[in-house]
Amino acid sequence: MSDKIFRSGFVSIVGRPNVGKSTLLNRILGEKLMITSDKPQTTRNQIKGIHNVPGGQIVFLDTPGIHRAKTRLNKFMVEEALSSVQGVDLILFLVDGAFDPEKEAGMIKEVLSGVEAPVILVLNKIDLIPKGDLLGRMAAYGETYPFKEIIPVSAASGDGVEQLVQLVHGLLPEGPCYFPDDILTDVPERFIVAEIIREKIFRLTRDEVPYSTAVVVDSFKERETGVVAIQATINVERDSQKGIIIGRKGDMLKKIGSQARQEIERLLDTKVFLELFVRVSGEWSDNSRMLKEFGYDS
């Protein structure tokens, strides 16, 4: 009888920047929905990823990394992450397997203080843990908080991910199918397009430039030919950053646009005409009006 129970619920994925939250969710979904890079603080918004399993539906919440916030943008990101641990059915707390458990203890206790939902500690990047150290690290983390389970995985290779999904499904309550079973997320295509463009900036530029950019899709139209015409603006904070984004003779902007267009075409399964503009928008990351305009508003 219990096998016929349909289990569903909301599962928040939280942790420090660059521990692999988005990579893990992409691996679970089997699609690249969340943007990733080797730079921390790539994810800025809380994004739902919907995963259907036999007898259930898991709605994952990908969240920004928890870090010390200075600008209004950083504070928004941290608020997005911390708010996600309230009102969910389960929490996956992701840590980098190479990190020292003792140094993570304070942050874990602070973030999970007052949390009512059960918490699974996900020890990611197990390929970076020296042989023989895994069980010791799991035991050390077990002393920091009463986790429901501690699961070692490699989001990059997929090791342990299916076991994690099975565990998550088994811990969810009986519930409805919250979303149609043919969608992966509830965010609009325009949002994903802007994120793809921003990811290419993260991957192709350096220093502070990726952190000082915000992408806004100004126009998204399907022509009679089936081609989707997209116009988007890359907002930066200084003229020097605009110069870097554009590059010599426009080379960098062309590279960003070309790589983004190819990925957007795979997403939309159609030809795309992508036109990018670059605009200096002052210190937008610390301006409440512009943050709201760019989609960073709690």
Side-chain angles (χ1 to χ4, degrees):
M1 183 69 70
S2 61
D3 292 340
K4 296 181 180 180
I5 293 177
F6 189 90
R7 298 183 181 276
S8 63
F10 292 80
V11 180
S12 179
I13 306 175
V14 298
R16 288 192 188 275
N18 221 29
V19 294
K21 299 182 295 297
S22 297
T23 301
L24 174 63
L25 186 48
N26 284 338
R27 172 68 64 176
I28 291 171
L29 297 176
E31 295 283 349
K32 188 192 169 189
L33 183 64
M34 314 300 166
I35 68 171
T36 61
S37 82
D38 59 359
K39 298 180 177 69
Q41 300 174 30
T42 305
T43 301
R44 289 177 178 170
N45 298 78
Q46 186 184 120
I47 307 171
K48 293 184 181 69
I50 302 154
H51 183 58
N52 295 287
V53 297
Q57 184 179 80
I58 310 170
V59 183
F60 290 98
L61 305 179
D62 188 26
T63 65
I66 299 169
H67 59 283
R68 293 191 181 279
K70 295 181 180 179
T71 66
R72 284 187 172 90
L73 172 63
N74 293 118
K75 291 176 182 177
F76 162 82
M77 292 162 62
V78 173
E79 287 171 2
E80 285 279 274
L82 295 179
S83 67
S84 74
V85 302
Q86 304 298 329
V88 293
D89 299 287
L90 185 66
I91 297 167
L92 301 185
F93 201 108
L94 218 67
V95 295
D96 187 320
F99 288 179
D100 183 348
E102 291 186 5
K103 293 182 179 179
E104 296 296 279
M107 190 267 289
I108 290 172
K109 292 176 182 178
E110 181 179 354
V111 172
L112 298 179
S113 176
V115 165
E116 297 181 359
V119 183
I120 297 174
L121 182 84
V122 182
L123 192 64
N124 190 28
K125 306 182 183 181
I126 55 174
D127 49 308
L128 302 179
I129 302 176
K131 291 181 179 180
D133 286 1
L134 179 59
L135 292 179
R137 293 197 181 209
M138 292 174 64
Y141 274 114
E143 296 177 0
T144 65
Y145 185 86
F147 296 107
K148 188 74 175 178
E149 296 280 354
I150 298 177
I151 304 294
V153 305
S154 171
S157 70
D159 288 350
V161 173
E162 182 57 35
Q163 294 90 329
L164 174 63
V165 171
Q166 292 175 4
L167 175 62
V168 168
H169 176 224
L171 291 174
L172 293 180
E174 182 175 1
C177 186
Y178 290 101
F179 296 93
D181 59 9
D182 60 346
I183 68 170
L184 289 176
T185 184
D186 65 338
V187 298
E189 290 176 337
R190 292 174 72 115
F191 176 89
I192 299 176
V193 165
E195 287 288 274
I196 290 172
I197 297 168
R198 194 167 63 82
E199 180 193 60
K200 304 314 170 191
I201 298 169
F202 259 81
R203 290 178 178 269
L204 293 170
T205 62
R206 63 186 189 279
D207 301 331
E208 85 285 352
V209 175
Y211 302 102
S212 298
T213 58
V215 178
V216 176
V217 174
D218 306 304
S219 177
F220 190 108
K221 297 179 180 178
E222 184 174 355
R223 295 173 176 171
E224 292 182 359
T225 58
V227 173
V228 175
I230 300 171
Q231 291 182 332
T233 299
I234 300 170
N235 295 273
V236 296
E237 295 189 309
R238 291 187 289 279
D239 287 323
S240 60
Q241 295 166 348
K242 180 178 179 179
I244 293 172
I245 292 288
I246 294 174
R248 185 179 181 185
K249 297 182 179 180
D251 287 349
M252 178 57 74
L253 190 61
K254 289 177 183 177
K255 188 179 293 186
I256 293 168
S258 176
Q259 292 190 14
R261 178 185 53 77
Q262 292 175 38
E263 189 162 331
I264 295 166
E265 287 182 338
R266 288 194 293 269
L267 169 73
L268 302 179
D269 195 25
T270 190
K271 289 291 184 181
V272 168
F273 174 75
L274 177 62
E275 194 172 10
L276 298 179
F277 305 92
V278 186
R279 180 178 70 184
V280 177
S281 297
E283 299 294 325
W284 69 262
S285 64
D286 217 17
N287 183 299
S288 57
R289 178 187 61 79
M290 282 191 274
L291 283 171
K292 185 174 183 179
E293 178 184 340
F294 297 160
Y296 304 120
D297 178 35
S298 299

